[in-house]
């Protein structure tokens, strides 16, 4: 199951993230892939909106903090693997967070194993300054669940 969207500005990427955010529940895993500045963190802002994280909370890339935790309807664990080495990634203990919240991972290309069969993979492609192609792939139960998003086009 693969669906793709073209967003023409930042706000449209946020809107798409928000739609996904509304569908997420604790235990859900979202892997974000794509080059620097392709819109991963922007999309996470939308996920946070969809999870009703207080709008005043500014969503930033956890590049330095490694994991940002946001409280909304459910707890959102926002991870960025960009600066990490393989052994650091293992030490992070990311998968334990799935026990009580939603885990969203930027630079998921760096993962060598995924401990779940149900997850969403999202690939961000830079088209031009304001346009991005966003491809969503659903695995396991998400094959069907993602269809809700497809019907509800940006
Ligand atoms: N259609 C669009 N969707 C998302 N972001 C856009 C779009 N058009 C322009 N932008 C701009 O592109 C930038 C995307 O940055 P963002 O931090 O979301 O990327 P990123 O993929 O998280 O990068 P990094 O790998 O450095 O963490 C922002 O400055 C945003 O304003
Ligand atoms: Mg980022």
């Amino acid at each position: 199951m693969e669906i793709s969207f073209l967003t023409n500005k930042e706000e449209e990427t946020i809107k798409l993230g928000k739609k996904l955010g509304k569908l997420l529940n604790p235990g859900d895993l979202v892997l974000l892939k794509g080059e620097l500045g392709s819109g991963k963190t922007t999309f996470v802002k939308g996920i946070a909106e969809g999870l009703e994280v207080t709008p005043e909370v500014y969503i930033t890339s956890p590049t330095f903090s490694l994991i940002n935790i946001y409280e909304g309807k459910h707890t959102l664990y926002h991870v960025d693997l960009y600066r990490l080495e393989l052994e650091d990634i293992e030490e992070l203990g990311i998968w334990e967070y799935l026990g009580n919240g939603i885990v969203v991972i930027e630079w998921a290309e760096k993962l060598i194993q995924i401990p779940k069969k149900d997850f969403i993979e999202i690939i961000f492609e830079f088209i031009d300054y304001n346009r991005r192609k966003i491809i969503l792939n659903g695995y396991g139960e998400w094959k069907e669940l993602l269809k809700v998003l497809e019907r509800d086009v940006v």
Side-chain angles (χ1 to χ4, degrees), residues 6-14 34-43 45 61 63 80 82 106-107 124 126 128-132 134:
L6 193 66
T7 64
N8 296 298
K9 51 182 195 265
E10 183 178 357
E11 291 74 21
E12 289 181 10
T13 297
I14 293 175
E35 61 191 283
L36 286 169
S38 58
K40 300 180 294 296
T41 302
T42 303
F43 188 86
K45 283 183 193 168
S61 238
T63 304
D80 192 323
Y82 185 61
E106 291 193 40
W107 288 96
F124 294 80
F126 190 96
D128 63 28
Y129 186 70
N130 279 313
R131 291 195 302 161
R132 304 291 186 275
I134 302 176

Side-chain angles (χ1 to χ4, degrees), residues 38-122:
S38 58
K40 300 180 294 296
T41 302
T42 303
F43 188 86
V44 178
K45 283 183 193 168
I47 292 181
E49 275 188 28
L51 287 168
E52 296 159 34
V53 171
T54 316
E56 289 78 47
V57 176
Y58 192 67
I59 312 294
T60 54
S61 238
T63 304
F64 299 101
S65 50
L66 306 180
I67 300 181
N68 288 345
I69 304 173
Y70 302 106
E71 296 297 342
K73 192 172 68 165
H74 306 297
T75 306
L76 171 62
Y77 296 92
H78 179 197
V79 184
D80 192 323
L81 303 179
Y82 185 61
R83 284 168 193 275
L84 299 184
E85 305 292 337
L86 200 56
E87 54 269 30
D88 302 328
I89 293 173
E90 281 160 9
E91 274 173 30
L92 266 184
I94 305 169
W95 313 122
E96 284 157 37
Y97 296 111
L98 285 169
N100 64 316
I102 294 151
V103 177
V104 177
I105 307 178
E106 291 193 40
W107 288 96
E109 290 91 336
K110 290 198 157 196
L111 290 171
I112 50 159
Q113 63 169 47
I114 300 156
K116 272 178 81 77
K117 65 169 177 50
D118 306 306
F119 62 93
I120 303 159
E121 173 196 64
I122 308 178

